[in-house]
Amino acid sequence: MPLSGVVEFVGREEELQNLHQLLQDNKQVAIAAIAGMGGVGKTELALQYAIKHRETYNGGLCWLLPKTGDIGIQVVQFARMQLDLKPPEDFDILAQVQYCWRHWREGDVLLVLDDVSDYEEVKPYLPSLPSRFKVLITTRQKLGRIAQLSLDVLQPEAALELLRSLLKETPERIERELALANQLCEWLGYLPLGVELVGRYLARKQDLSLTEMLRRLENKRLDERSLSKSKSEADMTARRGVLAAFELSWQELEDSDKQLGCLLSLFAAAPIPWKLVEQCLPEEHTEELEEIRDDSLLILHLLQRKDEGVYQLHPLLREFFQYKCTGLKRAEEFKRSFCKVMVAVGKEIPEYPTLKQIYNVTPAIPHLAEVAKNLIQYVKDEDLIWAFIGNAQLYQDQGLYNQAVSWYEQSLTVTKKRLGESDVSVAQSLNNLAELYYLQGRYSEAEPLFLQALELRRHLLGKEHLDVALSLSNLAQLYNSQGRYSEAEPLFLQALELRRHLLGESHISVAHSLNNLAGLYNYQGRYSEAEPLYLQALELKRCLLGEEHPDFAHSLHNLAFLYYLQRRYSEAESLNLQALELKRCLLGEEHPDFAYSLNTLAALYESQGRYSEAEPLNLQALELRRRLLGEEHPSVADSLNNLAQLYRSQGRYSEAEPLDIQTLALRRKLLGEEHPHVAISLNNLAKLYYLQGNYAKSEPLYLQALDIFEQRLGANHPNTITVRENLAYLRDRLSPNQE
């Protein structure tokens, strides 16, 4: 039996118990196979089991190494040397072994067959064993019906504990760089051999920081010397380094097995939907691929089945297969095919995905990201942008703007570098990034990008093109949000006319233009012009998309908001509740659009004096927006404004005042001094001071608000009229005091 070099055996207590149970359960011969990929600690577990249960097996323990020679000969040699048995030399080897079994010392016996690669070679010696013999096999393979304990990598906590045990002389290194220690274990995929090799290497190199160790691993990968077994580590149970351990399994593979392994290594270090693998090899028969997967890679534990139709490579095995890919004839072909399949996935992501669609495509996203990060050179020029759009759009449509922005920024950088400054893909990248900045409330950053995209599209595509219409519409939407209504209207009208001309009346893009123009009129108080446009857009979406679509819910909400402004509360409530429920079902409750509907419904209830219903909705919308959009976003300011309005209506002035002040400051910062929403905040704060009897503070705020409204919305806008009336009430109140 080999000596264990483990300083502290961690993370395998449950496996030891399960192994003992497996060996005891069989009434005849219990053969428990500890199967697993190279480096997972099969030999060490068998060794620790033998040490722990030495007294259980009072008939002795015999440790056999099938790869070093015939185990029949090894059994006979052991019996002669350790048990003083003398099997007749004129017997053949099988008969000699059977003689040894019959004359073995009394008591239970543990036979360990360490690292069996071909069970058929050892099988002939085992059937004649008496029931007191327990046989424990370690192998990389699955052995059919034999009772099996499959050994996985360590849990993260156990891997860290193993690393800590190897650095006992300098424990402060772990505590000082605990996050780095966890990253090291994660990079190694929690593989015991990898963690032990790196831990021993660090123990020898006491001046080497964990930061530098991780950097070397990321740079040199499996070639990093810390993953090779040093001559000075003679006390290690493992006989090989990581690369050498994996090489043993590689040598057992056929060429077709190796090719599939290399293809799988192109996928990200994440679960792999098998249907994507099949799409990468369309010329291969599905049954043949399944046979390679099941009868080679899975049996040798080079691949793991994670779920139905989902498989995954261990991170270090993925590194190993990539390492082998360099010498594979079909490597370049596989890379191009993989990129083509993943780009197609990116193109299929809808503009307004539902929760179900997001759920279906999410497993492919890490692999699409892998194309963008490491294989972009294998993507065709015309598809280049889609490696980034797919990732970005999925995050954007969930309201995860911070996760989306880096993908759009990378898209712009990469397309410019490969295609030059003047290309339609560059224009699309500019537009996409600008849209995201707009959604984040970063209006000053969005505008120049929108303008560049519009100019580039006009130059490359001509003035009568759908992409030009999209740029016009996006720029108009930005101006609308900035309160620059006179600049927004002609752009909206141009976009609508262009889309009608190119697409006809019954197209979803026409519906979007109608909706956008209605939104502009709504902000301007032109309600009678907005309503028919909203209704046209809603009907178009109903016909083209159906009533179970996020875009249809969006139109319902817009119409509800119009009715709210017109004080048509019963109509507004019905539509808002319908939109809210649709968004809950289609988008989930963790989405900015869901918060938008919550906010509007809360405002509606506040206007009706239904304060107890309004407040929890306001608070929910505010918390959701803060979490999804950050503290500095126009939508967060809207929620703060509505909550302050609610408290003001309830006479809770001390709670309303800080919210009104915060809203005003945030809107000034994000929208500028002359924005209509700033005027709304000035009016609200003025009204609060008026209600508190602080007339001296109230009047100048009303005057500022009135000036902005008159300049930006005109003298007859409902907001302008409201402020003018508020100012008149204030002056009436002041008149007696001034006499």
Side-chain angles (χ1 to χ4, degrees), residues 396-432:
Q396 177 178 316
D397 291 333
Q398 294 177 79
L400 304 173
Y401 302 141
N402 291 335
Q403 290 169 260
V405 70
S406 65
W407 289 109
Y408 280 140
E409 289 171 344
Q410 287 178 60
S411 174
L412 182 58
T413 300
V414 172
T415 51
K416 277 184 174 180
K417 184 176 181 180
R418 187 194 288 193
L419 306 174
E421 296 280 344
S422 185
D423 189 272
V424 288
S425 292
V426 172
Q428 188 173 351
S429 292
L430 286 164
N431 179 79
N432 292 343

Side-chain angles (χ1 to χ4, degrees), residues 33-265:
I34 306 175
M37 60 180 281
V40 83
K42 301 180 291 295
T43 297
E44 186 63 48
L45 183 69
L47 188 53
Q48 293 294 331
Y49 175 79
I51 293 170
K52 183 175 182 179
H53 294 278
R54 187 188 298 270
E55 293 182 5
T56 301
Y57 298 103
N58 50 9
L61 185 151
C62 179
W63 194 282
L64 306 169
L65 299 170
K67 284 192 175 179
T68 64
D70 187 282
I71 70 156
I73 296 174
Q74 293 183 47
V75 168
V76 172
Q77 289 176 342
F78 180 90
R80 284 177 173 161
M81 294 177 64
Q82 302 296 328
L83 305 176
D84 201 26
L85 294 179
K86 295 179 174 54
E89 295 186 3
D90 56 340
F91 285 11
D92 63 26
I93 192 64
L94 183 59
Q96 289 187 49
V97 169
Q98 290 170 348
Y99 173 91
C100 293
W101 297 151
R102 290 194 303 272
H103 295 85
W104 203 277
R105 179 194 303 164
E106 291 298 318
D108 288 346
V109 180
L110 179 65
L111 297 176
V112 179
L113 278 61
D114 187 20
D115 201 8
V116 172
S117 58
D118 187 351
Y119 179 63
E120 295 302 318
E121 290 182 357
V122 302
K123 185 178 179 180
Y125 298 108
L126 304 179
S128 58
L129 280 170
S131 60
R132 64 191 180 93
F133 284 78
K134 308 297 182 183
V135 181
L136 174 57
I137 296 174
T138 73
T139 179
R140 296 161 187 260
Q141 301 180 351
K142 294 183 178 178
L143 302 181
R145 295 182 180 180
I146 295 175
Q148 180 169 300
L149 176 71
S150 289
L151 206 56
D152 205 346
V153 296
L154 294 171
Q155 291 297 310
E157 301 81 9
L160 181 64
E161 190 57 34
L162 174 58
L163 184 62
R164 188 180 271 119
S165 73
L166 293 161
L167 297 176
K168 274 189 173 179
E169 293 184 9
T170 53
E172 70 282 355
R173 295 169 75 184
I174 295 285
E175 304 313 318
R176 188 170 58 240
E177 298 184 276
L178 188 58
L180 264 298
N182 280 303
Q183 285 183 49
L184 264 179
C185 294
E186 183 182 5
W187 193 93
L188 294 163
Y190 310 110
L191 184 71
L193 176 59
V195 175
E196 184 176 4
L197 285 168
V198 168
R200 286 171 174 268
Y201 187 81
L202 285 166
R204 296 200 309 272
K205 308 242 179 213
Q206 295 192 16
D207 292 331
L208 182 64
S209 70
L210 271 60
T211 303
E212 175 60 17
M213 184 73 263
L214 184 60
R215 188 197 68 78
R216 291 183 185 181
L217 285 168
E218 290 174 340
N219 185 43
K220 295 183 179 179
R221 324 304 289 185
L222 292 185
D223 285 329
E224 165 54 36
R225 67 177 60 190
S226 61
L227 295 179
S228 300
K229 186 178 178 184
S230 168
K231 292 179 181 179
S232 63
E233 306 295 352
D235 63 331
M236 275 187 68
T237 305
R239 296 183 290 275
R240 305 171 186 88
V242 171
L243 197 58
F246 293 165
E247 186 69 37
L248 291 176
S249 296
W250 175 263
Q251 291 170 4
E252 295 186 37
L253 298 177
E254 301 291 337
D255 286 346
S256 56
D257 308 336
K258 294 175 180 178
Q259 289 177 359
L260 182 57
C262 288
L263 172 63
L264 290 169
S265 75

Side-chain angles (χ1 to χ4, degrees), residues 4 13 16 36 159 173 178 221 237-238 262 333 372 383 440 457 472 508 513 527 559 568 599 606 622 672:
S4 173
E13 292 77 12
L16 282 172
R173 295 169 75 184
L178 188 58
R221 324 304 289 185
T237 305
C262 288
E333 173 196 337
D383 291 333
Q440 290 181 299
R457 282 172 164 170
L472 288 168
I508 193 62
S513 274
Y527 303 140
L559 189 58
R568 296 160 63 179
N599 193 66
E606 185 274 327
L622 176 59

Side-chain angles (χ1 to χ4, degrees), residues 327-353:
L328 197 70
K329 288 182 180 179
R330 298 184 68 187
E332 298 294 299
E333 173 196 337
F334 287 164
K335 289 174 183 177
R336 286 191 293 272
S337 179
F338 171 64
C339 290
K340 182 180 178 181
V341 168
M342 297 318 306
V343 163
V345 170
K347 289 181 177 180
E348 289 172 4
I349 297 173
E351 187 175 357
Y352 298 103

Side-chain angles (χ1 to χ4, degrees), residues 600-670:
T600 303
L601 188 60
L604 172 65
Y605 288 161
E606 185 274 327
S607 297
Q608 295 176 292
R610 297 160 65 179
Y611 303 140
S612 62
E613 295 172 83
E615 185 169 3
L617 297 178
N618 261 325
L619 291 169
Q620 186 181 352
L622 176 59
E623 189 276 332
L624 190 53
R625 283 173 159 174
R626 277 175 162 160
R627 185 153 39 83
L628 294 175
L629 306 174
E631 290 287 344
E632 295 196 348
H633 193 280
S635 293
V636 172
D638 292 343
S639 280
L640 289 168
N641 176 78
N642 286 5
L643 189 59
Q645 173 69 30
L646 173 67
Y647 292 158
R648 195 165 51 250
S649 299
Q650 293 176 288
R652 297 160 65 179
Y653 302 142
S654 62
E655 294 172 83
E657 184 174 357
L659 296 176
D660 272 328
I661 291 172
Q662 188 180 351
T663 304
L664 176 59
L666 192 52
R667 283 175 166 171
R668 277 175 163 160
K669 180 177 180 179
L670 297 174

